[in-house]
Amino acid sequence: MRTTHAVLLRRLLPQDDPRRLAVRRGQFHHVVLGAERVVCLPRTPAAADRLPARAATLRALAGLGLGFRTPEPLALGRGEGGEAPFLVLGRVPGEPLAAEALDDARVAGAVAAQYARLLAGLARADAAVRTALPSASEGRWRRFAAEVRAELFALMSEDGRLRAERELAAAEGLPHLTGAVVHGDLGPENVLWEWEDGLPRLAGVLDWDEVSLADPAEDLAAVGAGHGGELLGRVLVLGGSPDDGLVSRIAAVRGTFALQQALSAHRDGDAEELADGLAGYR
């Protein structure tokens, strides 16, 4: 990436030594990390088409006042004149939490408390922020199930289709809820931490491409998938008494994650992400 886009990166990151630029691969973008700025280079034409909407969403999120940073859009390139499309963002401080850090009970407690505050802040976002965000569409899980069957079942083994049917049936039973701002991809790689006095402090949250008004079970499912059931249990306790159906909704949403990845990759023409998403279905 540094070689292919060398001219563009020198222009967008003039203060950085090109040899020291780190590159990370996301589901939809390659991300080039400068000292103070980040350049997102879409991996597919479909991801490039979504860049303007991504920038608009990030501007809306600046009004959330959650107590941590979200990426600030600084420049948008639409791929004119033969130049690659790009989105330049302000770099958010911190690093993802190492899995082994949660072996320390004090660290696990601090992380769970901050996840609980993050989710509570999203749930109480004010009307101005909610107006700027899309609502999850009614019937979307039924449509998702139909699309998976139509587009992905031919790529699965017989056992894979049986597994997928069980997961899709659970998803189709999910109620239509739009009571909270939901990040939509709250995996550990998108949550950044800084360490103070031996404990992690939530510094920022990345990758808000899927944010919407939806069911908080979706973000809780991502926390559980990324950090394990024990941490998820702590978050649920700290968040107060869950409603009767929350735990089952979390399980149903979590069962769709690999299929969601595979469907998006199939539509974007991303063979590598498609193979990863379907690995358990072949």
Side-chain angles (χ1 to χ4, degrees):
M1 296 301 295
R2 289 188 297 265
T3 301
T4 302
H5 300 287
V7 174
L8 177 63
L9 293 174
R10 281 197 297 270
R11 178 168 70 81
L12 298 177
L13 303 172
Q15 305 302 317
D16 292 285
D17 182 345
R19 296 168 299 178
R20 296 181 179 275
L21 294 172
V23 180
R24 292 180 180 168
R25 178 184 177 281
Q27 183 176 353
F28 301 116
H29 309 91
H30 291 289
V31 181
V32 182
L33 302 176
E36 297 183 359
R37 294 183 169 196
V38 170
V39 179
C40 299
L41 299 165
R43 297 179 56 206
T44 65
D49 290 341
R50 294 192 293 266
L51 286 181
R54 186 182 190 201
T57 295
L58 290 172
R59 284 190 288 270
L61 288 168
L64 277 174
L66 292 171
F68 56 81
R69 289 178 59 181
T70 56
E72 176 189 2
L74 302 174
L76 175 66
R78 300 175 181 269
E80 299 169 347
E83 186 176 69
F86 64 83
L87 177 62
V88 180
L89 305 172
R91 182 166 179 175
V92 176
E95 295 292 335
L97 192 69
E100 60 270 18
L102 295 175
D103 294 339
D104 184 319
R106 290 178 64 244
V107 170
V111 169
Q114 291 173 85
Y115 267 119
R117 285 197 294 272
L118 185 165
L119 295 168
L122 292 177
R124 63 173 180 266
D126 63 27
V129 173
R130 291 170 179 270
T131 300
L133 299 178
S135 292
S137 59
E138 191 166 3
R140 69 188 180 105
W141 290 113
R142 291 191 297 276
R143 288 192 295 275
F144 170 73
E147 290 161 356
V148 168
R149 293 180 181 112
E151 299 180 41
L152 298 182
F153 268 31
L155 307 176
M156 299 178 184
S157 67
E158 183 177 354
D159 286 344
R161 288 191 289 273
L162 291 173
R163 172 187 166 181
E165 279 290 3
R166 291 192 297 271
E167 294 164 343
L168 293 173
E172 287 176 305
L174 287 166
H176 178 58
L177 300 174
T178 58
V181 175
V182 171
H183 178 278
D185 190 11
L186 203 62
E189 69 280 0
N190 289 329
V191 184
L192 304 184
W193 306 82
E194 294 182 312
W195 289 80
E196 295 179 352
D197 300 322
L199 290 174
R201 177 182 62 81
L202 179 58
V205 179
L206 309 177
D207 197 357
W208 294 82
D209 291 13
E210 304 300 321
V211 66
S212 67
L213 302 177
D215 183 354
E218 297 180 37
D219 281 344
L220 288 161
V223 172
H227 294 298
E230 184 175 346
L231 187 86
L232 174 61
R234 287 176 178 256
V235 174
L236 290 171
V237 169
L238 290 166
S241 300
D243 65 71
D244 290 341
L246 180 59
V247 173
S248 63
R249 298 201 314 272
I250 291 170
V253 171
R254 184 170 174 177
T256 69
F257 283 167
L259 295 172
Q260 289 187 53
Q261 174 185 328
L263 186 62
S264 293
H266 180 62
R267 292 175 170 177
D268 280 3
D270 191 327
E272 189 172 353
E273 284 291 320
L274 176 62
D276 182 64
L278 289 181
Y281 300 88
R282 287 178 159 169

